[in-house]
Amino acid sequence: MHFRCARYSRGNLDCACRLPARSPRCRWFWWTASWRCPPPGSPTTYILKPPIARFSATTENDAFVMRLAAAVGLDVASVETRVVRARTFLLIQRYDRALDGAGVVRRIYQEDFCQALAVPPETKYANEGSPTFSVCFGLLRRVAARPAVDLLKLLDAAIFSLISGNADAHGKDFSILYEPQGARLAPLYDLLAAVAYPDLSPKLAVKIGGRTTLAEMDATAWAAFAADAGLGLPLVRRPVVELSAAVGDLAEEVASALMRPGLDEPALSRFVGLVRDRAEHCALTVQ
């Protein structure tokens, strides 16, 4: 089994008070009960994501939001929490890998939305020139093998990011997976309730209906978002109500299932309260 370790150097906030970009990653694989470097060029099948030093309980935050997204029906990369010598980390299974008939791990080509649209990674936020949701929906209409399916998945992802406080979701956090049967929206990854940290900006990296925070959302904003997405307003209103209800109903259950020795239980409880409050608020914005 192969693993990949992502080293993060997020000690300083950038000028927009966003999560700074990752430093280069190092790859590892598990072999005969020990960690080893993989052979050059070999595909890895897992990502090891350590906590962000400056912010508390980011492993718990990441895992909770990812598991919650899966629980409410979103297509999300599989994640596990691990604790080694009192240090937490997240183990994320790569979705862009497959075993061939000989049992060899093969890469599946993917590209994030910025790459697909030839947008430089340094301008990954919408206010810096990165893709807006209107552009993102347009991209899926052009390249997805089943655009009707993927448009609804992207819609759910945008709504869930708003509810969960995943304000840092930007053009490099959505990808297209090029499988033999055709291109599709890749499973979601790198979900974090950034609004849990006062030092981070609560503003959405990609606006929804011209708004940047949950407090600004109302029926007019959802109508504008529906127009941007090229979807009917009833098709947008329904998942807002349904996802808000599902998040409120399942947040505690997800956190309880996630809890294990070594994780920060009070932090998980705070995250539960945060997303429940936001879900209740979000449900009211379509009225």
Side-chain angles (χ1 to χ4, degrees):
M1 183 180 295
H2 290 71
F3 297 87
R4 184 170 182 170
C5 175
R7 286 182 179 170
Y8 284 69
S9 59
R10 287 176 164 172
N12 297 308
L13 295 175
D14 62 17
C15 61
C17 294
R18 295 288 185 185
L19 291 172
R22 292 174 241 184
S23 63
R25 300 179 179 186
C26 58
R27 300 182 299 170
W28 303 88
F29 72 99
W30 183 251
W31 181 256
T32 60
S34 63
W35 292 103
R36 301 185 183 186
C37 291
S42 64
T44 58
T45 54
Y46 283 80
I47 295 172
L48 261 70
K49 184 178 180 181
I52 303 171
R54 177 165 180 173
F55 304 106
S56 65
T58 56
T59 295
E60 292 85 346
N61 188 330
D62 256 316
F64 170 65
V65 178
M66 292 279 285
R67 289 277 187 89
L68 183 59
V72 301
L74 276 63
D75 187 14
V76 185
S78 176
V79 298
E80 299 176 28
T81 56
R82 296 292 177 90
V83 182
V84 176
R85 297 181 180 177
R87 299 187 67 176
T88 65
F89 61 90
L90 200 64
L91 187 62
I92 308 170
Q93 186 172 10
R94 298 195 65 143
Y95 53 77
D96 57 342
R97 300 290 186 265
L99 287 175
D100 64 15
V104 177
V105 177
R106 302 295 184 187
R107 295 179 175 90
I108 303 173
Y109 180 68
Q110 72 160 342
E111 58 183 357
D112 62 54
F113 279 19
C114 285
Q115 292 171 322
L117 293 161
V119 174
E122 59 270 19
T123 59
K124 61 187 178 182
Y125 296 106
N127 63 348
E128 299 169 347
S130 187
T132 63
F133 273 121
S134 177
V135 173
C136 292
F137 280 101
L139 174 64
L140 289 178
R141 283 189 171 91
R142 293 194 303 275
V143 305
R146 300 172 63 198
V149 173
D150 284 343
L151 291 174
L152 295 181
K153 285 186 176 183
L154 182 59
L155 172 64
D156 285 348
I159 295 168
F160 181 80
S161 286
L162 179 67
I163 295 171
S164 64
N166 181 33
D168 200 58
H170 48 67
K172 294 192 70 63
D173 286 333
F174 301 104
S175 290
I176 298 169
L177 195 60
Y178 293 91
E179 297 176 317
Q181 59 269 37
R184 70 177 179 94
L185 182 67
L188 300 176
Y189 52 93
D190 201 19
L191 306 181
L192 181 83
V195 297
Y197 305 106
D199 286 344
L200 292 177
S201 172
K203 294 184 177 181
L204 296 171
V206 183
K207 295 179 181 180
I208 293 180
R211 311 298 169 85
T212 59
T213 65
L214 177 58
E216 297 173 334
M217 293 301 297
D218 56 20
T220 301
W222 287 116
F225 179 59
D228 288 341
L231 301 171
L233 181 56
L235 199 61
V236 172
R237 287 169 53 93
R238 188 182 309 117
V240 172
V241 174
E242 292 176 350
L243 286 173
S244 296
V247 166
D249 291 342
L250 295 174
E252 183 66 46
E253 179 181 335
V254 169
S256 296
L258 187 63
M259 192 56 212
R260 60 185 293 173
L263 296 185
D264 190 336
E265 186 170 2
L268 275 171
S269 295
R270 290 195 301 274
F271 300 146
V272 168
L274 172 70
V275 299
R276 276 182 163 175
D277 288 346
R278 291 181 65 86
E280 183 178 355
H281 186 164
C282 191
L284 299 175
T285 62
V286 295
Q287 297 180 2

